[in-house]
C-alpha cells in the first residue's frame, strides 16, 4: 500500500510538469554578427513541457567604427590677392570631408591648399637721394680752384610711376677764402677753395687761474693757428700752441710738532704743548694753531697718540668744540686720526687730555696740520 501510494504521487508530479512546463538556463550570448560597426547577439533556452515566454532573445552590439578612407571635397574659390601692387599671392583650400576618414581609414592624399601669383603690376616708389660723396681732388695743384662731389638717387631708386629725386646730383662752386670761414660751414653742398696758404698764429689767450691756492702752481695760456689757418699744401704754424708760468709762490700754512722722549704726565683737561716743532711757518705756538689773516681754507689735521703707564684719552678741539676723540685700552697703545676741516681767520685748534690724570709716552705723540686748498 505504501509503495503504490508513492508511484501514484510521482505520476501526479510528472503530469503537472508536462502541463505547466519548465525552462532551462539561458545559453551564453552568441558572438556579435559583425567585426566593426553595429551588429546583433542572441541567446536561447529550452523548455520541458509547455512553457510560456520566448525561447530566444537578442541585443545590439557595437564594435569599433569600420574604416573609411578619406576623400577630398571641392576646392574653395581663390581668396583676394595679398598685395595691391607688385607680385602677390592668391590662395585656395579644400577639406578632406567627402567622406572624412573614419577609424583606420586612409587620410586624403595631397595638400589642402594651393596658391597662384597675382597683381604682377609694379608698385610705384618715389626716389630719394643717397648721401653726398666726399669732395673730389682740387681742379688745380695751386691757386684758386674747385672741388666737386656727387650723389645718387638710390635711397630708394624710383620704381614704376614713382617720382624721381628732386634736385641735382652734383655740386661745385668757387669760393673766396673769406667764404671758406663762413658759408662753407653753413652749406655742406658747397665746394671749398684749394689755394695753398701758410698758417700763422693768432693772439695768445690770457693766462688761466693758478693751479693751486698756495704753494707753487702753474698758469697756462693758449693760441690758435688761425690767422690764417693753413690751406692745401700750406705750411702749419711754427712753434707751440700753449705756454705756462709759475704762480702763487707763497708757502702753504703748515706745522708739525711732537713731544720729547720719555713719559709725560697730564692732568684732566690739560693742554698738550708739543714743544718740539719739526715744521712751522706761522701760526703755531705752545700746542695751539691759530689761523692768521689770509691763511683761511681747508686744512688736513692729524693727531697721533701713544699712552704711557696708563690708558689715555685725548681730544682734538676747534675753538673748544671736540672734533676727534682718541683713546687707548692698554698702556703703550697707539691711536691716530686725520680729518679735513674748514678753518677761517682767528680759528684755533689744539689737543688736550680728556680723562683723569694720565701719561703720554715719547716722540710718538704728534700734532700737525697743512692747508690743502
Amino acid at each position: 500500500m505504501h509503495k503504490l501510494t508513492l508511484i501514484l504521487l510521482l505520476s501526479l508530479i510528472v503530469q503537472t510538469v508536462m502541463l505547466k512546463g519548465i525552462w532551462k538556463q539561458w545559453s551564453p550570448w552568441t558572438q556579435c554578427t559583425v567585426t566593426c560597426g553595429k551588429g546583433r547577439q542572441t541567446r536561447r533556452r529550452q523548455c520541458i513541457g509547455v512553457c510560456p515566454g520566448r525561447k530566444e532573445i537578442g541585443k545590439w552590439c557595437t564594435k569599433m567604427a569600420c574604416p573609411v578612407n578619406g576623400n577630398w571635397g571641392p576646392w574653395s574659390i581663390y581668396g583676394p590677392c595679398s598685395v595691391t601692387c607688385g607680385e602677390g599671392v592668391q590662395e585656395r583650400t579644400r577639406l578632406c570631408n567627402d567622406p572624412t576618414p573614419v577609424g583606420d581609414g586612409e587620410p586624403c592624399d595631397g595638400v589642402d591648399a594651393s596658391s597662384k601669383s597675382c597683381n604682377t603690376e609694379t608698385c610705384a616708389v618715389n626716389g630719394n637721394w643717397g648721401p653726398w660723396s666726399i669732395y673730389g681732388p682740387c681742379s688745380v695743384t695751386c691757386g684758386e680752384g674747385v672741388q666737386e662731389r656727387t650723389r645718387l638717387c638710390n635711397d630708394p631708386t624710383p620704381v614704376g610711376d614713382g617720382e624721381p629725386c628732386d634736385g641735382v646730383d652734383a655740386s661745385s662752386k668757387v669760393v673766396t677764402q673769406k667764404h671758406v670761414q663762413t658759408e662753407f660751414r653753413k652749406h655742406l653742398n658747397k665746394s671749398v677753395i684749394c689755394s695753398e696758404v701758410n698758417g700763422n698764429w693768432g693772439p695768445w689767450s690770457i693766462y688761466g687761474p693758478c693751479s693751486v691756492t698756495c704753494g707753487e702752481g702753474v698758469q697756462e695760456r693758449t693760441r690758435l693757428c688761425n690767422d690764417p689757418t693753413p690751406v692745401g699744401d700750406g705750411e702749419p704754424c711754427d712753434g707751440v700752441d700753449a705756454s705756462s708760468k709759475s704762480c702763487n709762490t707763497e708757502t702753504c700754512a703748515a706745522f708739525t710738532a711732537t713731544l720729547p722722549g720719555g713719559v709725560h704726565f697730564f692732568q684732566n683737561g690739560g693742554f698738550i704743548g708739543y714743544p718740539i716743532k719739526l715744521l712751522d711757518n706761522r701760526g703755531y705756538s705752545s700746542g695751539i694753531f691759530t689761523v692768521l689773516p689770509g691763511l683761511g681754507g681747508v686744512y688736513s689735521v692729524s693727531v697721533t697718540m701713544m699712552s704711557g703707564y696708563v690708558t689715555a684719552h685725548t681730544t682734538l678741539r676747534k675753538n673748544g668744540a671736540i672734533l676727534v676723540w682718541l683713546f687707548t685700552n692698554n698702556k703703550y697703545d697707539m691711536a691716530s686720526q686725520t680729518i679735513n676741516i674748514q678753518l677761517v681767520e682767528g680759528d684755533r685748534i689744539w689737543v688736550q687730555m680728556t680723562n683723569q690724570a694720565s701719561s703720554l709716552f715719547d716722540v710718538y705723540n704728534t700734532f700737525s696740520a697743512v692747508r690743502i686748498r
Side-chain angles (χ1 to χ4, degrees):
M1 184 65 179
H2 179 71
K3 185 176 181 180
L4 179 59
T5 302
L6 181 60
I7 292 172
L8 289 174
L9 181 60
L10 290 173
S11 177
L12 180 61
I13 292 171
V14 170
Q15 290 177 7
T16 302
V17 170
M18 294 299 291
L19 290 174
K20 291 185 177 181
I22 297 176
W23 288 109
K24 287 187 176 183
Q25 294 292 327
W26 286 102
S27 67
W29 288 102
T30 62
Q31 293 290 329
C32 192
T33 58
V34 296
T35 58
C36 66
K38 187 175 183 181
R40 294 282 295 174
Q41 288 177 286
T42 60
R43 66 179 179 177
R44 299 175 64 84
R45 63 181 175 177
Q46 291 182 344
C47 175
I48 300 175
V50 180
C51 301
R54 299 168 59 186
K55 65 179 180 181
E56 182 178 294
I57 60 175
K59 66 176 181 179
W60 293 107
C61 54
T62 303
K63 297 292 186 179
M64 72 175 75
C66 293
V68 177
N69 293 334
N71 189 62
W72 291 111
W75 285 102
S76 68
I77 62 173
Y78 279 102
C81 192
S82 59
V83 295
T84 56
C85 65
E87 187 171 358
V89 173
Q90 285 178 286
E91 292 189 344
R92 64 176 182 173
T93 59
R94 59 180 176 174
L95 299 175
C96 184
N97 62 356
D98 189 25
T100 302
V102 177
D104 292 330
E106 295 293 329
C108 293
D109 183 25
V111 296
D112 63 353
S114 70
S115 61
K116 66 177 181 178
S117 297
C118 57
N119 287 351
T120 56
E121 182 179 353
T122 303
C123 293
V125 177
N126 294 331
N128 189 62
W129 290 112
W132 284 102
S133 68
I134 62 174
Y135 280 100
C138 192
S139 59
V140 295
T141 57
C142 66
E144 187 175 76
V146 294
Q147 289 177 283
E148 290 188 345
R149 62 177 181 175
T150 60
R151 57 180 177 175
L152 298 175
C153 185
N154 63 354
D155 188 25
T157 302
V159 177
D161 293 331
E163 295 292 329
C165 293
D166 184 24
V168 297
D169 63 353
S171 72
S172 64
K173 185 168 182 169
V174 178
V175 293
T176 64
Q177 180 66 20
K178 181 178 180 181
H179 288 149
V180 170
Q181 301 299 324
T182 58
E183 295 301 321
F184 175 64
R185 285 198 288 264
K186 295 179 182 177
H187 305 287
L188 294 179
N189 64 336
K190 291 184 177 180
S191 300
V192 298
I193 194 166
C194 51
S195 302
E196 181 179 301
V197 178
N198 293 331
N200 188 64
W201 291 111
W204 285 102
S205 67
I206 62 173
Y207 279 102
C210 191
S211 58
V212 295
T213 57
C214 65
E216 187 172 359
V218 174
Q219 286 178 284
E220 292 188 343
R221 64 176 182 173
T222 59
R223 59 180 176 174
L224 298 176
C225 183
N226 62 356
D227 189 25
T229 301
V231 175
D233 292 329
E235 295 293 329
C237 294
D238 183 24
V240 296
D241 62 354
S243 70
S244 62
K245 66 177 182 178
S246 296
C247 57
N248 285 353
T249 56
E250 181 181 358
T251 304
C252 291
F255 74 90
T256 298
T258 183
L259 293 177
V263 178
H264 307 277
F265 294 93
F266 296 92
Q267 296 297 319
N268 183 21
F271 282 89
I272 301 173
Y274 302 103
I276 300 177
K277 292 188 289 184
L278 304 179
L279 172 65
D280 176 24
N281 72 335
R282 287 184 298 166
Y284 177 80
S285 176
S286 301
I288 299 176
F289 175 68
T290 302
V291 180
L292 300 178
L295 296 182
V298 177
Y299 283 74
S300 177
V301 182
S302 297
V303 179
T304 301
M305 177 187 73
M306 184 174 186
S307 58
Y309 298 135
V310 294
T311 61
H313 290 242
T314 59
T315 52
L316 170 65
R317 303 193 178 218
K318 171 187 171 183
N319 302 330
I322 296 175
L323 301 180
V324 172
W325 191 307
L326 299 179
F327 66 92
T328 57
N329 291 319
N330 298 291
K331 62 182 181 179
Y332 302 117
D333 271 357
M334 292 190 70
S336 64
Q337 181 74 51
T338 299
I339 62 170
N340 293 339
I341 57 175
Q342 179 74 46
L343 297 177
V344 298
E345 180 181 336
D347 279 344
R348 301 195 307 160
I349 57 174
W350 66 86
V351 180
Q352 69 183 63
M353 189 64 66
T354 313
N355 61 339
Q356 295 179 353
S358 185
S359 63
L360 300 178
F361 180 71
D362 217 75
V363 296
Y364 304 109
N365 293 273
T366 61
F367 178 30
S368 63
V370 61
R371 191 176 75 175
I372 56 177
R373 59 179 181 272

